[in-house]
């Protein structure tokens, strides 16, 4: 997608063998690239959420393995790197998927060949993510055309950021938005701010503005009223992990939007590339929910006079509880959009006759 | 309730004929009383939400009428004061109720007697609010005892602030919490932060701490997950207006909590004093929903190094939409608690055989 009107990916290898990412903790206030030189750099970027979004976490983990091979490409070194990366965040399954794929490719090779192959394989994972998301965009576009009202902009609600910034390119939930824009379909996006980390207000709003898509930010609390008023045509979100039965783990608050969509007869779609589906687990009861620091609830960063500051919202020392994800049961999901097509959650396996 | 361990009401007449309120826009960071000298002061305090909460808005409006009578107690003066107060905020019906009651008491009197009577009547409205809320506390306590698990703290979730600070004393939704505390019943309160103005994170958290009630703040988005996990025994909220059929207008986001409670079989109660019920309207389709400034979504105030600052969360110039309330349909409400008892929403009229 475009940054300052220039096509850009969110993660890119550098000629010196390092990897460059956008430090998303500084958006929307500053666009700043950051260089990852080591496995430790990659782990840190995932833990503090300089990169986030299940597909981009997977891509960063793949490059983290590549960076690790240059320090120690032995079996023990790869095992250690894998463990360190997988420990960074528990919910998004793309992380584990990417690490296991890198292991599967590298471990059979002679140690001396591993570094070069790791680099190639990480780039391949990124290219595949871009291709998956482009395909999601086209499948989602067909749905958008079905739900559009003649002569009116399609009003899409999304949660968190499942856009370009959550992936290597295009996004998952926002890929159909960009595909629709490409054919001149009028669109309006409701971006819910997504407390506590405000990825909607910061990342989605920034990204949509860069791409020239009409949008407005709302408090997460406003989603139900807007749906009741008939101001939302379709809801589309990404996911951090989808269970085999179609249960969805996604950013906390997704479940509330799914309930409101269901209560108001509004279609609710989940857009994910194949690696976000965890075929090993039958349902969401088996998905670990990451608990993050209470300070993300009690304090919030923002811009003040062009500087970034963090202010406290609660009384000093106030207790807070901060689960980062929630579970949307399959019964509330109209359809899951993947690179292979669209299926109701209970028929997800139909899209993957031969799952890896 | 207590402030610094001293029993205190949220609004109080001063010997010099002015009225004193807590400036709630400065909480939880500063406890600062503010003097209202004129009708204009009272209107301003309501508009910028130095006072908020349907019952306290009603009490402030009553004192606003009293302040107005000293400048101009004529019929024209009262009409002008009434119009100015009613125009401040559209959703909470207690405002209109209090103004109309003051008019009904004052207009039949000789002009010279109106100021003294206005003062007495405003004090009576405040005393009645306190008595209503104390009764709500006892009726709600009986429900809490029904939902409590033996030997475990009752886990109560609330939204926004419907506590002491939203009323003259005791609160509506929190009155049963304080009644339970008074008899030594173990309690834990989940306070949802209530974006965009964060009344839960600022006012409810502050108030519960002052009263010594165990609590934690959560992002509004986390409410659904906590209910799915079985970490909530009962949800209780206040309201800004209840229609005759039991539909509820309350702080935006209430509807989402009601959907999640319903989806998880958790009782969902609405606690209101009689003046919050609008018998003139059959259902919530007739309740105006206040739209507030987008800046409440794009910017947020907080504490930084003991000073108060407002930071910007979104890209500069970002569009935002900010409805302040939403509608929870009666079908999602387990019961409405008033000073007269508890009724399912469809039987609300049973509590008021002779509504005024």
């Amino acid at each position: 997608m475009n940054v300052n009107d220039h096509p850009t990916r969110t993660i890119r290898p550098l000629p010196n063998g390092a990897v460059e990412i956008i430090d998303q903790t500084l958006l929307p206030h500053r666009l700043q690239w950051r260089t990852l030189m080591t496995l430790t750099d990659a782990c840190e970027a995932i833990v503090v959420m300089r990169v986030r979004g299940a597909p981009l976490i997977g891509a960063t983990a793949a490059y983290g393995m590549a960076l690790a091979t240059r320090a120690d490409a032995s079996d023990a070194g790869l095992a250690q790197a894998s463990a360190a990366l997988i420990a960074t965040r528990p919910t998004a399954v793309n992380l584990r998927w990417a690490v296991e794929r890198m292991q599967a490719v590298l471990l059979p090779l002679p140690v001396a060949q591993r570094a070069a192959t790791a680099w190639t394989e990480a780039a391949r994972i990124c290219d595949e993510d871009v291709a998956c998301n482009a395909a999601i965009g086209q499948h989602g576009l067909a749905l958008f055309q079905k739900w559009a009202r003649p002569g009116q902009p399609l009003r899409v609600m999304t949660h968190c950021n499942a856009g370009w910034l959550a992936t290597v390119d295009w996004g998952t939930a926002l890929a159909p938005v960009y595909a629709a824009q490409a054919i001149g379909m009028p669109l309006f996006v409701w971006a819910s701010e997504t407390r506590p980390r405000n990825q909607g207000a910061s990342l989605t709003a920034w990204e949509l503005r860069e791409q020239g898509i009409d949008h407005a930010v709302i408090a997460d609390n406003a989603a139900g009223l807007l749906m009741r008023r008939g101001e939302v045509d379709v809801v589309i979100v990404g996911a951090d992990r989808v269970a085999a039965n179609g249960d969805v783990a996604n950013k906390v608050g997704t479940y509330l939007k799914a309930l409101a969509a269901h209560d108001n007869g509004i279609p609710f779609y989940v857009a994910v590339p194949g690696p976000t589906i965890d075929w090993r687990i039958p349902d969401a009861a088996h998905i670990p929910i990451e608990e993050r620091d209470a300070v993300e609830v009690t304090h919030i960063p923002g811009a003040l006079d062009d500087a970034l500051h963090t202010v406290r919202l609660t009384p000093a020392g106030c207790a807070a509880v901060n689960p980062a994800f929630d579970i949307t049961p399959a019964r509330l999901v109209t359809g899951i959009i993947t690179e292979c097509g669209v299926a109701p959650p209970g028929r997800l396996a139909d899209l993957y006759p031969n799952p890896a």
Side-chain angles (χ1 to χ4, degrees), chain A:
Chain A
M1 305 303 297
N2 290 338
V3 174
N4 300 326
D5 299 320
H6 192 75
T8 311
R9 286 187 174 186
T10 57
I11 185 167
R12 53 195 188 194
L14 296 176
N16 67 352
V19 177
E20 201 176 36
I21 59 160
I22 296 171
D23 184 349
Q24 299 192 20
T25 63
L26 302 178
L27 286 175
H29 310 296
R30 286 184 199 148
L31 175 63
Q32 192 167 299
W33 290 84
R34 185 181 177 95
T35 302
L36 311 180
M37 304 289 291
T38 64
L39 168 68
T40 304
D41 291 347
C43 289
E44 191 266 357
I46 297 171
V47 165
V48 308
M49 296 176 66
R50 302 188 199 282
V51 291
R52 22 66 53 203
L56 182 55
I57 290 172
T60 307
Y63 275 117
M65 290 292 285
L67 291 167
T69 56
R70 292 200 307 203
D72 180 359
S74 69
D75 288 12
L78 290 180
Q80 191 189 0
S82 300
L85 284 162
I86 287 176
T88 52
R89 297 196 68 193
T91 302
V93 73
N94 308 56
L95 172 60
R96 188 191 73 201
W97 168 87
V99 168
E100 290 180 353
R101 173 162 156 179
M102 295 293 286
Q103 284 182 306
V105 168
L106 299 178
L107 286 173
L109 299 178
V111 171
Q113 290 178 24
R114 289 176 179 176
T117 301
W119 206 256
T120 310
E121 189 66 13
R124 188 174 290 141
I125 284 175
C126 289
D127 289 344
E128 288 176 13
D129 182 58
V130 177
C132 274
N133 298 335
I136 287 170
Q138 294 306 313
H139 295 305
L141 172 58
L143 292 172
F144 279 11
Q145 289 171 316
K146 176 175 156 192
W147 294 108
R149 302 160 303 149
Q152 304 283 328
L154 182 77
R155 298 159 307 177
V156 178
M157 182 176 284
T158 190
H159 187 56
C160 196
N161 174 267
W164 167 66
L165 286 166
T167 63
V168 178
D169 207 347
W170 291 112
T172 52
L174 294 187
V177 168
Y178 299 131
Q181 181 187 36
I183 63 162
M185 181 176 169
L187 283 163
F188 177 85
V189 176
W190 293 111
S192 60
E193 67 168 345
T194 317
R195 283 284 289 150
R197 287 188 65 105
N198 276 41
Q199 295 93 332
S202 55
L203 306 181
T204 298
W206 180 82
E207 172 180 336
L208 291 173
R209 189 183 65 171
E210 290 291 320
Q211 314 308 323
I213 305 264
D214 195 18
H215 65 279
V217 170
I218 55 167
D220 302 301
N221 282 326
L225 179 76
L226 293 172
M227 292 192 219
R228 260 184 73 90
R229 276 185 183 167
E231 297 184 41
V232 179
D233 298 311
V234 58
V235 182
I236 186 165
V237 299
D240 293 79
R241 194 183 312 202
V242 174
N245 74 335
D247 284 351
V248 173
N250 189 42
K251 181 59 50 196
V252 71
T254 301
Y255 170 46
L256 296 173
K257 285 191 170 57
L259 285 167
H262 189 262
D263 199 46
N264 291 283
I266 295 167
F268 182 91
Y269 290 102
V270 178
V272 290
T276 303
I277 304 168
D278 189 349
W279 298 105
R280 303 184 201 180
I281 58 167
D283 59 52
H286 301 81
I287 300 179
I289 300 292
E290 179 180 6
E291 301 280 337
R292 294 184 60 87
D293 198 309
V295 77
E296 293 185 348
V297 176
T298 59
H299 292 64
I300 197 167
L304 172 64
D305 298 334
D306 292 327
L308 301 188
H309 291 287
T310 294
V311 296
R312 176 167 47 80
L313 304 174
T314 61
C318 182
V321 171
N322 184 20
F325 302 93
D326 67 16
I327 301 299
T328 299
R331 66 185 151 82
L332 299 175
V333 176
T334 308
I336 297 177
I337 309 171
T338 82
E339 69 281 5
C340 299
V342 183
R347 306 295 297 273
L348 188 55
D350 293 358
L351 298 180
Y352 296 89
N354 303 301

